[in-house]
């Protein structure tokens, strides 16, 4: 709407658009006109704009205020002790600090202690301080390994806050399986959520029903199985691992005919984990036609005749016909048959021999490696500690000459079957015999804090490496594990290693100083972990 502004000259009548155009082009090229049609003075533009602005503002309607978010839910867990609160703030502040030279120096790496701190805080049942929730969510956004710990510690208020910031959307996705925990006792609620829920909600629902009523979960899954997408069927089928029993066999047998290869393979794996299943018996029949005792000459050995074909029935039972590059077909098929055969079958087949006796038998024609590797996979799948012990052998035996497999990855899986104290004792023996160079993967499956024998073996091996004059960088991975996994009570005993040793002849230049720094950092980290534990227990300074 045009506005009339009286200036030092005649009144100007111009719209806001006219004023903008004249301001952009200049009054020389686009002069304003007075009511009489004459060109107005340049200053008239400013006067008219001022008058127009007042009028525009006066005509504005009050804006509607934004709706306030729903208040955050209550978190009834107890608050952190004051010292632990300050420690968390320090850890989160250090997370964003610029690195100061990698792993050099004697100061602890605080960022590596955040997961342990969060785990301990969760074990004590504390709630996260509200003012630190943004920093916690930022830390979890940057480090996926922190997300489970952060979300458990942040609790309902953390999820509430995450819903208000798109950058923290990961928290909502990660917690979706717990977002709607239906009353599984109400069939109507269960059915409605199963038919209309989001995929993650349906997975969570299936798991919840499975925990309380395995048969009910199986019936729920069967009711929509044929209409599910292949990738969804695979995820749903995987949920049957929890509480797997013979009652699931009929459903899994039907899944062996699924149109998805991955679904068929998963169904076959689950069935082979049931020693009494028809599939396990079929695989055992095939495997025992290939692997048999040979009593030629009086001594018992193992004779192997690998399959000559992979027929349709084998493929239906989960045997993959095409081997990976570099593998022979027959050895590939044999390994799959043995892996899926119940381990108890071999005891019966070989006259009641125990696992360690079977593993010690000579295997003809160079098949020992393939057969023992398949037995390793079977022991892991069937969670059999006796076979795991037999295939691991004595820790002092060189890996290449061991009874099972030289693969450290496979050995780690076998170790994970054993009870934690036995696991730690075996790894400590391995380190004592072979040093640390091959022990990193094995240490990763040991429970934290390390048992005393394992901790001593690791420290002794590091001390030997220091005395040999090598650089500590070759052992940086193990040193980092020691900082996180050694018992904090070991700090005082290790203090003697923080001094700079005399460098032996032929040692790497300056290695002693680097080792001194590394051990100082180890001791400082252990003492810091002890202080953190005391603070979380309420024993720290207030």
């Amino acid at each position: 709407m045009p506005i009339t502004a009286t200036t030092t000259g005649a009144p100007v009548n111009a719209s806001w658009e006219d004023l903008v155009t004249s301001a952009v082009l200049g009054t020389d090229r686009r002069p304003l006109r007075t009511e009489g049609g004459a060109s107005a003075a340049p200053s008239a533009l400013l006067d008219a704009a001022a008058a127009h602005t007042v009028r525009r503002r006066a005509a504005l309607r009050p804006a509607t205020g934004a709706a306030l978010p729903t208040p955050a839910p209550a978190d009834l867990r107890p608050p952190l002790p004051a010292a632990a609160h300050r420690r968390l703030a320090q850890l989160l502040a250090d997370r964003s600090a610029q690195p100061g030279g990698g792993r050099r120096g004697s100061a602890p790496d605080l960022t590596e202690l955040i997961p342990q701190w969060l785990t301990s805080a969760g074990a004590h049942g504390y709630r996260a301080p509200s003012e630190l929730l943004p920093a916690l969510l930022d830390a979890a956004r940057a480090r996926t390994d922190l997300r489970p710990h952060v979300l458990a510690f942040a609790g309902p208020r953390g999820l509430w806050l995450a819903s208000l910031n798109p950058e923290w959307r990961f928290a909502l996705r990660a917690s979706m399986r717990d977002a709607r925990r239906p009353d599984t006792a109400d069939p109507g609620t269960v059915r409605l959520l199963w038919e209309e829920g989001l995929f993650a909600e349906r997975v969570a629902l299936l798991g919840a029903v499975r925990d309380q009523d395995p048969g009910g979960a199986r019936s729920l899954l069967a009711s929509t199985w044929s209409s599910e997408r292949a990738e969804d069927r695979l995820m749903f089928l995987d949920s049957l691992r929890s509480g797997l029993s013979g009652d699931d066999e009929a459903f899994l047998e039907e899944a062996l005919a699924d149109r998805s290869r991955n679904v068929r393979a998963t169904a076959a794996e689950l069935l082979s984990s049931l020693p009494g299943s028809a599939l396990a018996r079929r695989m055992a029949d095939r495997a025992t036609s290939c692997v048999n005792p040979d009593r030629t000459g009086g001594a018992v050995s193992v004779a192997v005749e690998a399959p000559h074909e992979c027929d349709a029935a084998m493929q239906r039972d989960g045997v993959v016909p095409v081997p990976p590059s570099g593998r022979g077909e027959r050895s590939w098929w044999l390994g799959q048959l043995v892996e899926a055969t119940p381990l108890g079958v071999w005891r019966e087949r070989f006259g009641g021999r125990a696992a360690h006796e079977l593993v010690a038998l000579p295997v003809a024609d160079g098949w020992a490696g393939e057969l023992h590797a398949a037995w390793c996979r079977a022991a892991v799948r069937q969670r059999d500690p006796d076979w795991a012990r037999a295939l691991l052998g004595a820790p002092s035996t060189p890996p290449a000459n061991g009874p099972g497999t030289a693969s450290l990855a496979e050995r780690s899986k076998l170790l994970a079957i054993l009870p934690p104290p036995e696991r730690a004792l075996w790894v400590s023996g391995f380190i004592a015999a072979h040093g640390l160079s091959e022990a990193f993967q094995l240490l990763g499956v040991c429970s934290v804090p390390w048992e005393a024998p394992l901790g001593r073996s690791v420290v002794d091996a590091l001390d030997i490496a220091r005395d040999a004059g090598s650089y500590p960088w070759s052992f940086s991975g193990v040193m980092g594990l020691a900082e996180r996994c050694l018992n904090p009570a070991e700090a005082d005993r290790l203090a003697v290693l923080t001094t700079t040793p005399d460098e032996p002849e032929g040692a790497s230049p300056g290695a002693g100083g680097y080792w001194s720094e590394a051990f100082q950092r180890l001791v400082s980290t252990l003492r810091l972990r002890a202080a953190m534990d005391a603070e979380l227990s309420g024993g720290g300074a207030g």
Side-chain angles (χ1 to χ4, degrees):
M1 177 179 178
I3 186 169
T4 300
T6 302
T7 67
T8 53
V12 171
N13 187 13
S15 67
W16 179 256
E17 289 74 15
D18 293 336
L19 296 176
V20 172
T21 302
S22 293
V24 172
L25 298 178
T27 54
D28 290 340
R29 297 175 58 189
R30 186 68 178 271
L32 294 177
R33 302 292 177 179
T34 64
E35 289 185 347
S39 296
S43 60
L45 172 64
L46 298 179
D47 293 339
H52 213 307
T53 298
V54 172
R55 180 175 179 179
R56 285 165 62 90
R57 290 177 176 173
L60 287 178
R61 293 183 178 181
T64 302
L68 293 176
T70 304
D75 190 338
L76 302 180
R77 294 175 295 177
L80 282 172
H85 186 295
R86 291 194 296 271
R87 180 73 67 189
L88 176 59
Q90 179 190 11
L91 295 176
L92 293 172
D94 187 79
R95 180 190 67 83
S96 59
Q98 292 297 320
R103 294 296 289 152
R104 287 300 309 276
S106 59
D109 185 352
L110 299 186
T111 61
E112 291 302 315
L113 297 179
I114 295 177
Q116 286 195 14
W117 190 97
L118 290 170
T119 300
S120 297
H124 283 86
Y126 293 124
R127 72 168 181 262
S130 298
E131 66 274 19
L132 294 181
L133 284 175
L136 281 166
L137 291 169
D138 281 340
R141 177 172 173 258
R143 287 180 55 178
T144 56
D145 63 309
L146 290 180
R147 291 181 182 179
H149 306 288
V150 167
L151 294 180
F153 182 53
R157 290 191 170 187
L159 293 180
W160 173 86
L161 188 61
S163 69
L164 303 177
N165 186 346
E167 292 188 350
W168 298 330
R169 195 172 299 151
F170 72 87
L172 305 181
R173 292 194 298 267
S175 62
M176 189 174 292
R177 63 172 50 241
D178 294 320
R180 289 179 63 185
R181 298 294 290 178
D183 179 5
T184 54
D186 181 0
T189 302
V190 169
R191 173 56 60 181
L192 181 64
L193 184 55
W194 179 250
E195 294 178 350
E196 300 181 5
L198 300 174
F199 173 69
E201 293 174 319
R202 299 178 72 211
V203 171
L205 172 65
L206 190 63
V209 176
R210 179 77 174 174
D211 290 342
Q212 299 179 15
D213 181 9
R218 192 172 55 250
S219 299
L220 194 66
L221 181 55
S223 67
T224 59
W225 180 258
S226 61
S227 62
E228 303 287 357
R229 300 183 305 166
E231 54 268 35
D232 294 352
R233 293 199 304 277
L234 183 62
M235 291 290 292
F236 291 142
L237 194 64
D238 199 61
S239 69
L240 297 185
R241 294 181 189 276
S242 174
L244 185 67
S245 71
D247 293 337
D248 300 312
E249 182 178 358
F251 180 83
L252 293 173
E253 276 284 344
E254 291 184 10
L256 289 176
D258 195 89
R259 55 188 180 273
S260 166
R261 179 167 60 90
N262 291 332
V263 171
R264 295 196 302 271
T266 301
E269 179 191 347
L270 293 173
L271 283 168
S272 68
S273 300
L274 295 171
S277 69
L279 179 136
R281 292 194 296 273
R282 293 193 298 269
M283 297 300 257
D285 289 342
R286 296 178 181 119
T288 52
S289 69
C290 299
V291 180
N292 288 284
D294 183 355
R295 294 179 174 83
T296 303
V300 177
S301 63
V302 182
V304 177
E305 178 67 26
H308 290 274
E309 65 173 343
C310 183
D311 58 29
M314 289 170 61
Q315 293 182 45
R316 181 183 181 274
D317 284 346
V319 178
V320 179
V322 180
S325 177
R327 289 287 302 273
E329 285 184 336
R330 297 181 65 198
S331 63
W332 172 244
W333 300 333
L334 174 70
Q336 294 179 79
L337 296 181
V338 174
E339 177 183 354
T341 297
L343 289 165
V345 167
W346 304 114
R347 185 182 183 95
E348 300 171 4
R349 193 72 172 174
F350 284 81
R353 285 177 171 81
H356 69 277
E357 296 173 308
L358 287 166
V359 170
L361 291 175
V363 182
D365 302 324
W367 284 102
E370 188 66 49
L371 178 62
H372 288 179
W375 276 343
C376 286
R377 296 192 296 273
V380 172
R381 179 182 294 189
Q382 298 171 39
R383 310 296 298 174
D384 191 310
D386 289 336
W387 274 87
R389 294 185 188 99
L391 291 162
L392 283 167
S396 58
T397 304
N401 301 330
T405 174
S407 167
L408 292 176
E410 291 294 334
R411 287 183 163 217
S412 299
K413 294 177 183 177
L414 291 170
L415 277 170
I417 302 171
L418 302 180
E422 184 179 356
R423 196 183 313 166
L425 195 61
W426 195 95
V427 177
S428 67
F430 182 92
I431 293 171
H434 310 294
L436 288 170
S437 58
E438 296 183 328
F440 186 79
Q441 281 184 289
L442 305 179
L443 287 169
V445 299
C446 294
S447 58
V448 178
W450 287 336
E451 302 277 344
L454 177 58
R456 285 194 296 269
S457 291
V458 171
V459 173
D460 289 346
L462 289 171
D463 193 20
I464 291 170
R466 180 187 71 157
D467 290 343
S470 59
Y471 284 123
W473 305 321
S474 301
F475 304 94
S476 59
V478 174
M479 186 65 81
L481 275 178
E483 292 173 16
R484 297 189 296 274
C485 303
L486 270 175
N487 193 320
E490 297 287 320
D492 291 340
R493 187 177 70 83
L494 299 179
V496 67
L497 300 177
T498 61
T499 59
T500 303
D502 296 331
E503 293 186 359
E505 185 178 352
S508 303
Y514 295 139
W515 275 109
S516 177
E517 278 186 2
F519 278 115
Q520 287 174 31
R521 184 172 60 247
L522 173 58
V523 171
S524 298
T525 302
L526 294 178
R527 287 175 173 160
L528 178 57
R529 285 175 51 205
M532 286 166 39
D533 289 341
E535 292 162 357
L536 286 166
S537 299

